[in-house]
Amino acid sequence: MASADQGNYDHVGLNSARARVRMKVPSVAERVAEELRYQLAEGFLVPGAKLTEATIAEDLGVSRNTVREAFAELAAERLLLRQPNKGVFVATLEAGDIHDVYTVRRAIEVSSIRAGGSPERIAAVRAAVEEGKRAAAADNNEGLGSANQHFHGAIVALAESNRLDTIMAQILAEMRLYFHKATMNAHFYSDWLKENEQICSALEAGELERAGDLLLAYLNRSEQQQTAIHGA
Amino acid sequence: MASADQGNYDHVGLNSARARVRMKVPSVAERVAEELRYQLAEGFLVPGAKLTEATIAEDLGVSRNTVREAFAELAAERLLLRQPNKGVFVATLEAGDIHDVYTVRRAIEVSSIRAGGSPERIAAVRAAVEEGKRAAAADNNEGLGSANQHFHGAIVALAESNRLDTIMAQILAEMRLYFHKATMNAHFYSDWLKENEQICSALEAGELERAGDLLLAYLNRSEQQQTAIHGA
DNA sequence: TTCGCTGGATTGTTCAACGATCCAGCAATC
DNA sequence: GATTGCTGGATCGTTGAACAATCCAGCGAA
Protein backbone atom coordinates (compact mmCIF):
# COMPACT_ATOMS: atom_id res chain seq x y z
CA MET A 1 0.00 0.00 0.00
CA ALA A 2 2.81 2.39 0.11
CA SER A 3 0.64 3.07 3.08
CA ALA A 4 1.10 5.99 5.37
CA ASP A 5 3.57 6.06 8.18
CA GLN A 6 3.71 2.57 9.53
CA GLY A 7 6.61 0.61 10.82
CA ASN A 8 8.43 0.10 14.03
CA TYR A 9 11.00 2.53 15.23
CA ASP A 10 14.27 1.84 16.89
CA HIS A 11 16.87 4.12 18.31
CA VAL A 12 20.03 3.73 16.38
CA GLY A 13 23.32 5.48 16.63
CA LEU A 14 23.37 5.18 20.38
CA ASN A 15 27.06 5.94 20.20
CA SER A 16 26.76 8.98 18.02
CA ALA A 17 25.60 12.12 19.74
CA ARG A 18 24.10 13.66 16.65
CA ALA A 19 22.63 10.85 14.62
CA ARG A 20 19.90 10.10 17.11
CA VAL A 21 17.52 9.66 14.23
CA ARG A 22 14.59 7.39 14.48
CA MET A 23 15.09 4.79 11.87
CA LYS A 24 12.35 2.63 10.62
CA VAL A 25 12.41 -1.02 11.50
CA PRO A 26 9.57 -2.31 9.39
CA SER A 27 7.40 -4.97 10.87
CA VAL A 28 7.80 -8.49 9.60
CA ALA A 29 4.62 -8.25 7.60
CA GLU A 30 5.89 -5.05 6.05
CA ARG A 31 9.14 -6.69 5.09
CA VAL A 32 7.33 -9.61 3.55
CA ALA A 33 5.21 -7.20 1.53
CA GLU A 34 8.36 -5.37 0.49
CA GLU A 35 10.01 -8.58 -0.60
CA LEU A 36 6.99 -9.56 -2.64
CA ARG A 37 6.79 -6.11 -4.18
CA TYR A 38 10.40 -6.49 -5.18
CA GLN A 39 9.85 -9.88 -6.74
CA LEU A 40 6.85 -8.53 -8.59
CA ALA A 41 8.75 -5.55 -9.93
CA GLU A 42 11.67 -7.72 -11.01
CA GLY A 43 9.42 -10.09 -12.87
CA PHE A 44 10.22 -12.96 -10.57
CA LEU A 45 6.54 -13.39 -10.03
CA VAL A 46 4.66 -13.21 -13.28
CA PRO A 47 1.03 -12.17 -13.68
CA GLY A 48 -1.33 -15.04 -13.01
CA ALA A 49 1.08 -16.95 -10.82
CA LYS A 50 -0.43 -18.46 -7.74
CA LEU A 51 0.97 -17.65 -4.35
CA THR A 52 0.28 -20.27 -1.73
CA GLU A 53 0.27 -18.96 1.80
CA ALA A 54 2.03 -21.94 3.32
CA THR A 55 4.73 -21.96 0.67
CA ILE A 56 5.57 -18.28 0.97
CA ALA A 57 5.48 -18.55 4.74
CA GLU A 58 7.97 -21.37 4.69
CA ASP A 59 10.19 -19.77 2.07
CA LEU A 60 10.49 -16.54 4.00
CA GLY A 61 10.54 -18.19 7.38
CA VAL A 62 7.53 -16.39 8.76
CA SER A 63 4.13 -17.44 9.95
CA ARG A 64 1.18 -17.95 7.68
CA ASN A 65 -0.75 -15.20 9.41
CA THR A 66 1.99 -12.74 8.71
CA VAL A 67 2.02 -13.69 5.04
CA ARG A 68 -1.70 -13.18 5.08
CA GLU A 69 -1.27 -9.63 6.30
CA ALA A 70 1.25 -8.91 3.56
CA PHE A 71 -1.15 -10.37 0.99
CA ALA A 72 -3.89 -8.08 2.20
CA GLU A 73 -1.63 -5.11 1.73
CA LEU A 74 -0.62 -6.05 -1.79
CA ALA A 75 -4.18 -6.91 -2.71
CA ALA A 76 -5.16 -3.41 -1.63
CA GLU A 77 -2.55 -2.12 -4.07
CA ARG A 78 -4.04 -4.22 -6.85
CA LEU A 79 -0.76 -6.08 -7.27
CA LEU A 80 -2.29 -9.30 -6.03
CA LEU A 81 -5.78 -10.61 -6.54
CA ARG A 82 -7.45 -12.50 -3.77
CA GLN A 83 -9.88 -15.19 -4.77
CA PRO A 84 -11.65 -16.47 -1.69
CA ASN A 85 -10.96 -20.09 -0.88
CA LYS A 86 -8.85 -20.41 -3.98
CA GLY A 87 -5.81 -18.39 -3.19
CA VAL A 88 -4.03 -15.21 -4.14
CA PHE A 89 -2.68 -14.66 -7.61
CA VAL A 90 -0.42 -12.11 -9.17
CA ALA A 91 -2.72 -9.60 -10.80
CA THR A 92 -3.29 -10.03 -14.50
CA LEU A 93 -4.13 -7.47 -17.13
CA GLU A 94 -7.85 -7.65 -17.76
CA ALA A 95 -9.67 -6.13 -20.67
CA GLY A 96 -9.92 -2.40 -20.19
CA ASP A 97 -7.21 -2.25 -17.58
CA ILE A 98 -4.79 -0.43 -19.81
CA HIS A 99 -7.32 2.25 -20.57
CA ASP A 100 -8.20 2.33 -16.91
CA VAL A 101 -4.65 2.91 -15.78
CA TYR A 102 -4.03 5.59 -18.36
CA THR A 103 -7.27 7.31 -17.44
CA VAL A 104 -5.96 7.68 -13.91
CA ARG A 105 -2.61 8.88 -15.16
CA ARG A 106 -4.17 11.46 -17.44
CA ALA A 107 -6.27 12.74 -14.58
CA ILE A 108 -3.55 13.17 -12.01
CA GLU A 109 -0.49 13.87 -14.12
CA VAL A 110 -2.05 16.45 -16.38
CA SER A 111 -3.83 18.14 -13.53
CA SER A 112 -0.62 18.26 -11.54
CA ILE A 113 1.52 19.75 -14.26
CA ARG A 114 -1.13 22.29 -15.22
CA ALA A 115 -1.09 23.63 -11.68
CA GLY A 116 2.65 24.14 -11.82
CA GLY A 117 4.77 23.77 -8.72
CA SER A 118 7.51 25.18 -6.56
CA PRO A 119 10.99 25.70 -8.03
CA GLU A 120 12.30 22.80 -5.96
CA ARG A 121 9.71 20.44 -7.33
CA ILE A 122 10.31 21.61 -10.86
CA ALA A 123 14.00 21.05 -10.31
CA ALA A 124 13.18 17.47 -9.35
CA VAL A 125 11.45 17.00 -12.69
CA ARG A 126 14.51 18.37 -14.43
CA ALA A 127 16.69 16.03 -12.43
CA ALA A 128 14.68 13.06 -13.65
CA VAL A 129 15.14 14.21 -17.24
CA GLU A 130 18.89 14.43 -16.78
CA GLU A 131 18.88 11.05 -15.08
CA GLY A 132 17.28 9.65 -18.21
CA LYS A 133 19.86 11.27 -20.45
CA ARG A 134 22.69 9.82 -18.44
CA ALA A 135 21.14 6.38 -18.54
CA ALA A 136 20.72 6.68 -22.30
CA ALA A 137 24.33 7.73 -22.72
CA ALA A 138 25.43 4.76 -20.66
CA ASP A 139 23.11 2.55 -22.66
CA ASN A 140 21.55 1.52 -19.39
CA ASN A 141 18.14 0.20 -20.25
CA GLU A 142 17.26 -0.56 -16.68
CA GLY A 143 18.16 2.95 -15.62
CA LEU A 144 16.10 4.43 -18.43
CA GLY A 145 13.04 2.72 -17.12
CA SER A 146 13.35 4.03 -13.61
CA ALA A 147 14.29 7.47 -14.85
CA ASN A 148 11.03 7.63 -16.71
CA GLN A 149 9.13 6.54 -13.64
CA HIS A 150 10.93 9.18 -11.62
CA PHE A 151 9.99 11.75 -14.22
CA HIS A 152 6.29 11.02 -14.01
CA GLY A 153 6.44 10.67 -10.26
CA ALA A 154 8.08 14.09 -10.04
CA ILE A 155 5.32 15.58 -12.14
CA VAL A 156 2.68 14.34 -9.76
CA ALA A 157 4.81 15.52 -6.86
CA LEU A 158 4.37 19.05 -8.17
CA ALA A 159 0.92 19.03 -6.62
CA GLU A 160 2.36 18.38 -3.16
CA SER A 161 -0.38 15.95 -2.31
CA ASN A 162 0.50 12.86 -0.34
CA ARG A 163 -2.58 11.13 -1.57
CA LEU A 164 -1.78 11.80 -5.21
CA ASP A 165 1.77 10.63 -4.64
CA THR A 166 0.52 7.39 -3.14
CA ILE A 167 -1.90 6.81 -5.98
CA MET A 168 0.79 7.45 -8.54
CA ALA A 169 3.22 5.15 -6.78
CA GLN A 170 0.68 2.38 -6.93
CA ILE A 171 -0.04 2.96 -10.58
CA LEU A 172 3.66 2.89 -11.37
CA ALA A 173 4.03 -0.34 -9.43
CA GLU A 174 1.24 -1.82 -11.48
CA MET A 175 2.91 -0.76 -14.67
CA ARG A 176 6.18 -2.30 -13.60
CA LEU A 177 4.30 -5.51 -13.07
CA TYR A 178 2.32 -5.53 -16.29
CA PHE A 179 4.62 -3.84 -18.75
CA HIS A 180 7.73 -5.59 -17.80
CA LYS A 181 11.18 -4.76 -19.01
CA ALA A 182 10.85 -7.32 -21.74
CA THR A 183 8.20 -5.26 -23.45
CA MET A 184 10.12 -2.08 -22.97
CA ASN A 185 12.70 -2.10 -25.69
CA ALA A 186 15.18 0.64 -26.34
CA HIS A 187 13.26 1.93 -29.30
CA PHE A 188 10.47 2.66 -26.93
CA TYR A 189 12.64 4.74 -24.71
CA SER A 190 14.36 6.97 -27.20
CA ASP A 191 10.97 8.29 -28.17
CA TRP A 192 10.04 9.92 -24.97
CA LEU A 193 13.51 10.95 -23.97
CA LYS A 194 13.32 14.13 -25.98
CA GLU A 195 9.65 14.41 -25.22
CA ASN A 196 10.33 14.54 -21.51
CA GLU A 197 12.85 17.23 -22.27
CA GLN A 198 10.23 19.31 -24.06
CA ILE A 199 7.68 18.87 -21.32
CA CYS A 200 10.19 19.82 -18.70
CA SER A 201 11.29 22.89 -20.61
CA ALA A 202 7.72 24.05 -21.03
CA LEU A 203 7.18 23.56 -17.33
CA GLU A 204 10.28 25.54 -16.44
CA ALA A 205 9.21 28.31 -18.81
CA GLY A 206 5.86 28.51 -17.08
CA GLU A 207 4.03 27.40 -20.20
CA LEU A 208 1.79 25.16 -18.19
CA GLU A 209 -0.93 24.74 -20.77
CA ARG A 210 1.53 23.59 -23.34
CA ALA A 211 3.28 21.32 -20.89
CA GLY A 212 -0.06 19.75 -20.09
CA ASP A 213 -0.91 19.30 -23.75
CA LEU A 214 2.41 17.64 -24.46
CA LEU A 215 2.05 15.35 -21.50
CA LEU A 216 -1.48 14.48 -22.49
CA ALA A 217 -0.39 13.67 -26.02
CA TYR A 218 2.36 11.47 -24.69
CA LEU A 219 0.02 9.57 -22.43
CA ASN A 220 -2.47 9.01 -25.22
CA ARG A 221 0.20 7.71 -27.53
CA SER A 222 1.70 5.56 -24.83
CA GLU A 223 -1.70 4.02 -24.19
CA GLN A 224 -2.07 3.24 -27.86
CA GLN A 225 1.31 1.59 -27.98
CA GLN A 226 0.64 -0.52 -24.95
CA THR A 227 -2.75 -1.48 -26.27
CA ALA A 228 -1.13 -2.52 -29.52
CA ILE A 229 1.32 -4.77 -27.71
CA HIS A 230 -1.02 -6.32 -25.20
CA GLY A 231 -4.67 -6.88 -25.91
CA ALA A 232 -7.30 -4.20 -25.59
CA MET B 1 -9.57 -0.69 0.44
CA ALA B 2 -12.90 -0.95 -1.14
CA SER B 3 -10.59 -3.50 -2.55
CA ALA B 4 -11.27 -5.34 -5.71
CA ASP B 5 -13.53 -8.31 -6.00
CA GLN B 6 -13.12 -10.22 -2.83
CA GLY B 7 -15.63 -12.24 -0.89
CA ASN B 8 -16.98 -15.69 -0.81
CA TYR B 9 -19.62 -16.79 -3.17
CA ASP B 10 -22.56 -18.97 -2.53
CA HIS B 11 -25.19 -20.35 -4.79
CA VAL B 12 -28.52 -19.03 -3.77
CA GLY B 13 -31.95 -19.37 -5.26
CA LEU B 14 -31.64 -23.10 -5.53
CA ASN B 15 -35.38 -23.21 -6.03
CA SER B 16 -35.62 -20.54 -8.66
CA ALA B 17 -34.63 -21.55 -12.14
CA ARG B 18 -33.71 -18.03 -13.21
CA ALA B 19 -32.11 -16.34 -10.25
CA ARG B 20 -29.05 -18.54 -10.24
CA VAL B 21 -26.99 -15.50 -9.38
CA ARG B 22 -23.81 -15.77 -7.46
CA MET B 23 -24.32 -13.76 -4.32
CA LYS B 24 -21.51 -12.49 -2.24
CA VAL B 25 -21.02 -13.89 1.21
CA PRO B 26 -18.35 -11.62 2.57
CA SER B 27 -15.68 -13.14 4.73
CA VAL B 28 -15.73 -12.45 8.42
CA ALA B 29 -12.86 -10.01 8.11
CA GLU B 30 -14.74 -8.24 5.37
CA ARG B 31 -17.83 -7.97 7.52
CA VAL B 32 -15.82 -6.60 10.41
CA ALA B 33 -14.32 -4.01 8.09
CA GLU B 34 -17.79 -3.17 6.84
CA GLU B 35 -19.10 -2.77 10.34
CA LEU B 36 -16.23 -0.47 11.25
CA ARG B 37 -16.71 1.52 8.07
CA TYR B 38 -20.32 1.96 9.04
CA GLN B 39 -19.48 3.11 12.52
CA LEU B 40 -16.93 5.51 11.12
CA ALA B 41 -19.37 6.99 8.62
CA GLU B 42 -22.06 7.34 11.26
CA GLY B 43 -19.74 9.16 13.59
CA PHE B 44 -19.87 6.43 16.16
CA LEU B 45 -16.12 6.33 16.06
CA VAL B 46 -14.68 9.81 16.14
CA PRO B 47 -11.30 10.82 14.73
CA GLY B 48 -8.51 10.12 17.15
CA ALA B 49 -10.34 7.39 18.99
CA LYS B 50 -8.26 4.37 19.80
CA LEU B 51 -9.37 0.96 18.69
CA THR B 52 -8.04 -1.86 20.81
CA GLU B 53 -7.79 -5.15 19.00
CA ALA B 54 -8.94 -7.29 21.90
CA THR B 55 -11.91 -5.07 22.65
CA ILE B 56 -13.20 -4.97 19.10
CA ALA B 57 -12.62 -8.69 18.77
CA GLU B 58 -14.70 -9.38 21.85
CA ASP B 59 -17.41 -6.89 20.93
CA LEU B 60 -17.91 -8.39 17.51
CA GLY B 61 -17.33 -11.94 18.61
CA VAL B 62 -14.46 -12.65 16.29
CA SER B 63 -10.82 -13.49 16.74
CA ARG B 64 -8.13 -10.92 17.23
CA ASN B 65 -6.41 -12.01 14.03
CA THR B 66 -9.54 -11.33 12.06
CA VAL B 67 -9.85 -7.87 13.55
CA ARG B 68 -6.26 -7.32 12.60
CA GLU B 69 -7.05 -8.12 8.98
CA ALA B 70 -9.94 -5.68 8.98
CA PHE B 71 -7.69 -3.03 10.50
CA ALA B 72 -5.17 -3.53 7.74
CA GLU B 73 -7.85 -2.99 5.15
CA LEU B 74 -9.13 0.21 6.72
CA ALA B 75 -5.63 1.49 7.25
CA ALA B 76 -4.99 1.06 3.55
CA GLU B 77 -8.04 3.23 2.96
CA ARG B 78 -6.64 5.89 5.27
CA LEU B 79 -9.64 5.61 7.55
CA LEU B 80 -7.54 4.19 10.35
CA LEU B 81 -4.00 5.00 11.30
CA ARG B 82 -1.74 2.27 12.54
CA GLN B 83 0.92 3.27 15.00
CA PRO B 84 3.24 0.36 15.55
CA ASN B 85 3.19 -1.06 19.03
CA LYS B 86 0.76 1.60 20.10
CA GLY B 87 -2.43 0.69 18.37
CA VAL B 88 -4.76 1.78 15.64
CA PHE B 89 -6.59 5.07 15.81
CA VAL B 90 -9.36 6.62 13.83
CA ALA B 91 -7.66 8.89 11.32
CA THR B 92 -7.50 12.54 12.23
CA LEU B 93 -7.34 15.58 10.02
CA GLU B 94 -3.74 16.70 9.84
CA ALA B 95 -2.51 20.02 8.56
CA GLY B 96 -2.73 20.09 4.81
CA ASP B 97 -5.10 17.16 4.60
CA ILE B 98 -8.01 19.26 3.44
CA HIS B 99 -5.98 20.72 0.61
CA ASP B 100 -4.69 17.26 -0.13
CA VAL B 101 -8.13 15.74 -0.43
CA TYR B 102 -9.42 18.53 -2.60
CA THR B 103 -6.39 18.32 -4.82
CA VAL B 104 -7.30 14.74 -5.56
CA ARG B 105 -10.91 15.64 -6.14
CA ARG B 106 -10.00 18.44 -8.51
CA ALA B 107 -7.78 16.12 -10.47
CA ILE B 108 -10.18 13.27 -10.94
CA GLU B 109 -13.55 14.99 -10.94
CA VAL B 110 -12.66 17.77 -13.31
CA SER B 111 -10.81 15.47 -15.63
CA SER B 112 -13.74 13.07 -15.65
CA ILE B 113 -16.37 15.63 -16.45
CA ARG B 114 -14.24 17.30 -19.12
CA ALA B 115 -14.06 14.00 -20.96
CA GLY B 116 -17.81 13.67 -21.01
CA GLY B 117 -19.48 10.29 -20.84
CA SER B 118 -22.09 7.97 -22.21
CA PRO B 119 -25.75 9.00 -22.09
CA GLU B 120 -26.38 6.40 -19.39
CA ARG B 121 -23.67 7.78 -17.17
CA ILE B 122 -24.88 11.31 -17.72
CA ALA B 123 -28.34 10.18 -16.81
CA ALA B 124 -26.91 8.88 -13.55
CA VAL B 125 -25.56 12.33 -12.79
CA ARG B 126 -28.96 13.79 -13.49
CA ALA B 127 -30.52 11.20 -11.23
CA ALA B 128 -28.28 12.29 -8.37
CA VAL B 129 -29.34 15.89 -8.90
CA GLU B 130 -32.99 14.93 -8.73
CA GLU B 131 -32.30 12.83 -5.67
CA GLY B 132 -30.92 15.94 -4.02
CA LYS B 133 -33.95 17.98 -4.95
CA ARG B 134 -36.28 15.42 -3.50
CA ALA B 135 -34.29 15.28 -0.29
CA ALA B 136 -34.38 19.06 -0.07
CA ALA B 137 -38.11 19.10 -0.61
CA ALA B 138 -38.52 16.53 2.11
CA ASP B 139 -36.18 18.53 4.33
CA ASN B 140 -34.10 15.41 4.65
CA ASN B 141 -30.66 16.55 5.66
CA GLU B 142 -29.27 13.07 5.75
CA GLY B 143 -30.52 12.40 2.24
CA LEU B 144 -29.05 15.63 0.97
CA GLY B 145 -25.63 14.54 2.09
CA SER B 146 -25.70 11.23 0.32
CA ALA B 147 -27.26 12.77 -2.76
CA ASN B 148 -24.29 15.08 -3.04
CA GLN B 149 -21.90 12.18 -2.67
CA HIS B 150 -23.81 10.30 -5.34
CA PHE B 151 -23.56 13.32 -7.58
CA HIS B 152 -19.81 13.54 -7.35
CA GLY B 153 -19.45 9.81 -7.55
CA ALA B 154 -21.51 9.81 -10.73
CA ILE B 155 -19.27 12.47 -12.21
CA VAL B 156 -16.21 10.33 -11.69
CA ALA B 157 -18.11 7.34 -13.02
CA LEU B 158 -18.33 9.16 -16.34
CA ALA B 159 -14.75 8.13 -16.98
CA GLU B 160 -15.65 4.45 -16.70
CA SER B 161 -12.51 3.68 -14.78
CA ASN B 162 -12.70 1.21 -11.93
CA ARG B 163 -9.58 2.62 -10.42
CA LEU B 164 -10.91 6.15 -10.42
CA ASP B 165 -14.15 4.94 -8.92
CA THR B 166 -12.29 3.21 -6.14
CA ILE B 167 -10.18 6.25 -5.43
CA MET B 168 -13.24 8.47 -5.34
CA ALA B 169 -15.08 6.09 -3.05
CA GLN B 170 -12.20 6.22 -0.61
CA ILE B 171 -12.03 9.98 -0.72
CA LEU B 172 -15.74 10.23 -0.08
CA ALA B 173 -15.41 7.84 2.84
CA GLU B 174 -12.70 10.05 4.27
CA MET B 175 -14.88 13.08 3.90
CA ARG B 176 -17.76 11.38 5.66
CA LEU B 177 -15.39 10.69 8.50
CA TYR B 178 -13.84 14.11 8.78
CA PHE B 179 -16.62 16.45 7.76
CA HIS B 180 -19.33 14.85 9.68
CA LYS B 181 -22.99 15.67 9.48
CA ALA B 182 -22.58 18.05 12.39
CA THR B 183 -20.50 20.38 10.28
CA MET B 184 -22.78 20.03 7.30
CA ASN B 185 -25.64 22.33 8.08
CA ALA B 186 -28.56 22.99 5.81
CA HIS B 187 -27.22 26.35 4.74
CA PHE B 188 -24.30 24.51 3.32
CA TYR B 189 -26.43 22.27 1.23
CA SER B 190 -28.77 24.79 -0.38
CA ASP B 191 -25.74 26.40 -1.95
CA TRP B 192 -24.65 23.59 -4.17
CA LEU B 193 -28.09 22.27 -4.87
CA LYS B 194 -28.60 24.70 -7.72
CA GLU B 195 -24.94 24.50 -8.56
CA ASN B 196 -25.17 20.80 -9.17
CA GLU B 197 -28.12 21.53 -11.38
CA GLN B 198 -26.06 23.94 -13.47
CA ILE B 199 -23.16 21.58 -13.76
CA CYS B 200 -25.44 18.77 -14.79
CA SER B 201 -27.19 20.92 -17.38
CA ALA B 202 -23.89 21.98 -18.89
CA LEU B 203 -22.85 18.36 -19.03
CA GLU B 204 -26.07 17.32 -20.72
CA ALA B 205 -25.69 20.16 -23.21
CA GLY B 206 -22.21 18.96 -24.08
CA GLU B 207 -20.63 22.14 -22.74
CA LEU B 208 -17.88 20.17 -21.12
CA GLU B 209 -15.45 23.03 -20.65
CA ARG B 210 -18.03 25.06 -18.82
CA ALA B 211 -19.12 22.09 -16.75
CA GLY B 212 -15.52 21.58 -15.75
CA ASP B 213 -15.09 25.23 -14.85
CA LEU B 214 -18.19 25.23 -12.71
CA LEU B 215 -17.14 22.07 -10.96
CA LEU B 216 -13.67 23.42 -10.37
CA ALA B 217 -15.06 26.62 -8.92
CA TYR B 218 -17.29 24.63 -6.63
CA LEU B 219 -14.45 22.49 -5.40
CA ASN B 220 -12.27 25.50 -4.73
CA ARG B 221 -14.99 27.21 -2.78
CA SER B 222 -15.83 24.07 -0.89
CA GLU B 223 -12.21 23.70 0.11
CA GLN B 224 -12.17 27.26 1.40
CA GLN B 225 -15.28 26.67 3.44
CA GLN B 226 -13.96 23.50 4.97
CA THR B 227 -10.65 25.14 5.71
CA ALA B 228 -12.48 27.96 7.43
CA ILE B 229 -14.36 25.55 9.65
CA HIS B 230 -11.52 23.20 10.49
CA GLY B 231 -7.93 24.33 10.72
CA ALA B 232 -5.69 24.76 7.73
C1' DT C 1 12.72 18.66 38.90
C1' DT C 2 14.66 15.16 36.51
C1' DC C 3 16.06 10.67 35.80
C1' DG C 4 15.52 5.85 35.78
C1' DC C 5 13.17 1.89 37.01
C1' DT C 6 9.26 -1.20 37.25
C1' DG C 7 4.81 -3.32 36.27
C1' DG C 8 0.82 -3.62 33.50
C1' DA C 9 -1.35 -3.27 29.19
C1' DT C 10 -1.29 -3.80 24.27
C1' DT C 11 0.71 -5.04 20.17
C1' DG C 12 3.52 -8.19 16.98
C1' DT C 13 4.18 -12.73 15.74
C1' DT C 14 3.96 -17.52 15.91
C1' DC C 15 1.82 -22.04 16.16
C1' DA C 16 -1.55 -25.67 16.00
C1' DA C 17 -5.92 -26.92 14.97
C1' DC C 18 -10.50 -27.58 12.56
C1' DG C 19 -14.23 -26.69 9.40
C1' DA C 20 -15.27 -24.93 4.79
C1' DT C 21 -14.33 -24.75 0.15
C1' DC C 22 -12.38 -25.89 -4.12
C1' DC C 23 -10.49 -29.03 -7.58
C1' DA C 24 -9.03 -33.05 -10.06
C1' DG C 25 -9.85 -37.63 -10.81
C1' DC C 26 -12.60 -41.54 -11.05
C1' DA C 27 -16.74 -44.21 -11.02
C1' DA C 28 -21.54 -44.69 -12.11
C1' DT C 29 -25.14 -43.57 -14.95
C1' DC C 30 -27.81 -42.34 -19.01
C1' DG D 1 -19.19 -40.81 -25.05
C1' DA D 2 -20.92 -37.21 -22.23
C1' DT D 3 -22.88 -36.03 -18.05
C1' DT D 4 -23.45 -36.60 -13.24
C1' DG D 5 -21.98 -37.51 -8.69
C1' DC D 6 -18.80 -38.84 -5.37
C1' DT D 7 -14.39 -38.74 -2.94
C1' DG D 8 -9.91 -37.43 -1.28
C1' DG D 9 -6.41 -34.07 -0.98
C1' DA D 10 -4.93 -29.45 -0.89
C1' DT D 11 -5.64 -24.87 0.52
C1' DC D 12 -8.01 -21.29 2.58
C1' DG D 13 -10.65 -19.00 6.56
C1' DT D 14 -10.81 -18.50 11.24
C1' DT D 15 -9.96 -19.41 15.84
C1' DG D 16 -7.60 -19.59 20.36
C1' DA D 17 -3.62 -19.55 22.94
C1' DA D 18 0.85 -18.34 23.81
C1' DC D 19 5.09 -15.46 24.31
C1' DA D 20 8.34 -11.70 23.27
C1' DA D 21 8.69 -6.80 22.29
C1' DT D 22 7.20 -2.42 23.09
C1' DC D 23 5.02 1.34 25.17
C1' DC D 24 3.26 4.08 29.01
C1' DA D 25 2.08 5.71 33.51
C1' DG D 26 3.45 5.84 38.03
C1' DC D 27 6.71 5.87 41.56
C1' DG D 28 10.91 6.42 43.85
C1' DA D 29 15.85 8.08 43.97
C1' DA D 30 19.27 11.42 42.99
Side-chain angles (χ1 to χ4, degrees):
Chain A
M1 159 191 41
S3 66
D5 12 3
Q6 301 188 17
N8 289 322
Y9 288 89
D10 190 22
H11 287 288
V12 222
L14 295 176
N15 304 344
S16 64
R18 280 285 151 229
R20 197 71 64 83
V21 190
R22 281 184 144 221
M23 271 193 73
K24 259 196 172 179
V25 174
S27 72
V28 176
E30 196 63 35
R31 269 177 316 196
V32 171
E34 197 53 47
E35 171 65 20
L36 291 177
R37 256 189 287 261
Y38 170 75
Q39 297 197 9
L40 289 167
E42 289 305 310
F44 248 158
L45 297 172
V46 298
K50 168 164 191 186
L51 303 186
T52 305
E53 294 180 355
T55 307
I56 305 277
E58 198 172 9
D59 285 359
L60 301 182
V62 299
S63 129
R64 197 156 73 91
N65 285 356
T66 303
V67 172
R68 220 145 202 293
E69 208 164 315
F71 279 178
E73 189 168 327
L74 297 182
E77 298 174 30
R78 288 182 182 268
L79 294 179
L80 298 183
L81 177 62
R82 232 171 167 169
Q83 290 190 299
N85 286 313
K86 297 175 72 175
V88 307
F89 303 82
V90 179
T92 60
L93 211 45
E94 304 293 331
D97 267 350
I98 293 181
H99 179 69
D100 197 329
V101 165
Y102 276 94
T103 299
V104 176
R105 291 190 61 177
R106 274 186 288 267
I108 71 181
E109 291 193 45
V110 174
S111 126
S112 291
I113 205 171
R114 286 233 164 97
S118 70
E120 296 81 27
R121 305 279 179 163
I122 293 179
V125 175
R126 165 59 63 187
V129 171
E130 301 304 326
E131 178 189 348
K133 285 184 187 171
R134 281 197 306 277
D139 211 11
N140 177 2
N141 232 339
E142 185 98 4
L144 261 172
S146 27
N148 193 38
Q149 299 226 347
H150 293 163
F151 176 73
H152 291 279
I155 286 177
V156 172
L158 291 169
E160 315 222 16
S161 159
N162 288 324
R163 284 169 180 77
L164 277 189
D165 290 342
T166 302
I167 293 168
M168 187 62 183
Q170 288 183 14
I171 292 280
L172 289 177
E174 277 194 84
M175 299 200 64
R176 277 195 297 275
L177 169 60
Y178 292 136
F179 313 137
H180 201 251
K181 300 169 186 109
T183 75
M184 299 289 224
N185 53 31
H187 169 61
F188 228 67
Y189 288 133
S190 62
D191 262 11
W192 45 256
L193 202 60
K194 49 181 170 249
E195 207 153 356
N196 287 3
E197 168 69 39
Q198 290 181 352
I199 295 174
C200 186
S201 297
L203 173 63
E204 289 167 331
E207 303 170 8
L208 302 179
E209 276 307 311
R210 180 156 155 276
D213 292 345
L214 288 172
L215 179 55
L216 183 57
Y218 159 75
L219 287 172
N220 285 332
R221 188 151 24 80
S222 179
E223 175 181 351
Q224 282 183 325
Q225 291 176 328
Q226 296 289 9
T227 305
I229 297 176
H230 313 79
Chain B
M1 154 183 43
S3 62
D5 11 5
Q6 301 189 15
N8 288 322
Y9 287 91
D10 190 21
H11 286 288
V12 221
L14 294 174
N15 304 343
S16 65
R18 283 284 151 227
R20 198 72 63 85
V21 190
R22 282 185 143 222
M23 272 193 71
K24 259 196 171 179
V25 174
S27 72
V28 176
E30 197 61 38
R31 267 177 317 194
V32 171
E34 197 52 48
E35 170 65 21
L36 291 177
R37 256 189 286 264
Y38 170 75
Q39 296 196 9
L40 288 167
E42 290 304 311
F44 229 22
L45 297 172
V46 297
K50 170 166 190 187
L51 303 185
T52 304
E53 294 180 355
T55 306
I56 305 279
E58 197 173 10
D59 286 359
L60 301 182
V62 299
S63 133
R64 197 155 73 89
N65 285 346
T66 303
V67 173
R68 221 145 204 294
E69 207 163 314
F71 279 178
E73 188 168 329
L74 297 183
E77 298 174 29
R78 288 181 184 268
L79 294 178
L80 298 183
L81 177 62
R82 234 168 166 171
Q83 290 190 297
N85 286 311
K86 297 176 71 173
V88 307
F89 302 82
V90 180
T92 59
L93 210 47
E94 304 293 329
D97 268 349
I98 293 181
H99 180 68
D100 198 329
V101 164
Y102 276 94
T103 298
V104 177
R105 291 189 59 178
R106 273 187 290 266
I108 71 181
E109 291 192 45
V110 174
S111 129
S112 292
I113 206 171
R114 284 233 167 95
S118 71
E120 297 80 26
R121 303 279 179 163
I122 294 179
V125 176
R126 164 59 62 187
V129 172
E130 301 303 326
E131 179 189 348
K133 285 184 188 171
R134 280 197 306 277
D139 210 11
N140 177 1
N141 233 339
E142 185 97 4
L144 261 172
S146 28
N148 193 38
Q149 301 227 345
H150 293 163
F151 176 73
H152 291 278
I155 286 177
V156 172
L158 290 169
E160 314 222 16
S161 160
N162 288 324
R163 285 168 179 77
L164 277 189
D165 290 341
T166 302
I167 293 168
M168 188 61 183
Q170 288 183 15
I171 291 280
L172 289 178
E174 278 195 83
M175 299 200 63
R176 277 195 297 274
L177 170 61
Y178 292 138
F179 312 137
H180 201 252
K181 301 171 186 106
T183 76
M184 299 287 225
N185 51 32
H187 170 60
F188 228 66
Y189 287 132
S190 60
D191 261 10
W192 45 256
L193 202 59
K194 48 180 171 253
E195 208 154 356
N196 287 4
E197 167 69 40
Q198 289 181 351
I199 295 173
C200 186
S201 296
L203 173 64
E204 289 168 332
E207 303 170 9
L208 302 179
E209 276 307 310
R210 179 155 156 276
D213 292 344
L214 288 173
L215 180 55
L216 184 57
Y218 160 75
L219 287 172
N220 285 333
R221 189 150 26 80
S222 181
E223 176 181 351
Q224 282 185 323
Q225 291 176 328
Q226 295 288 7
T227 306
I229 296 176
H230 314 79

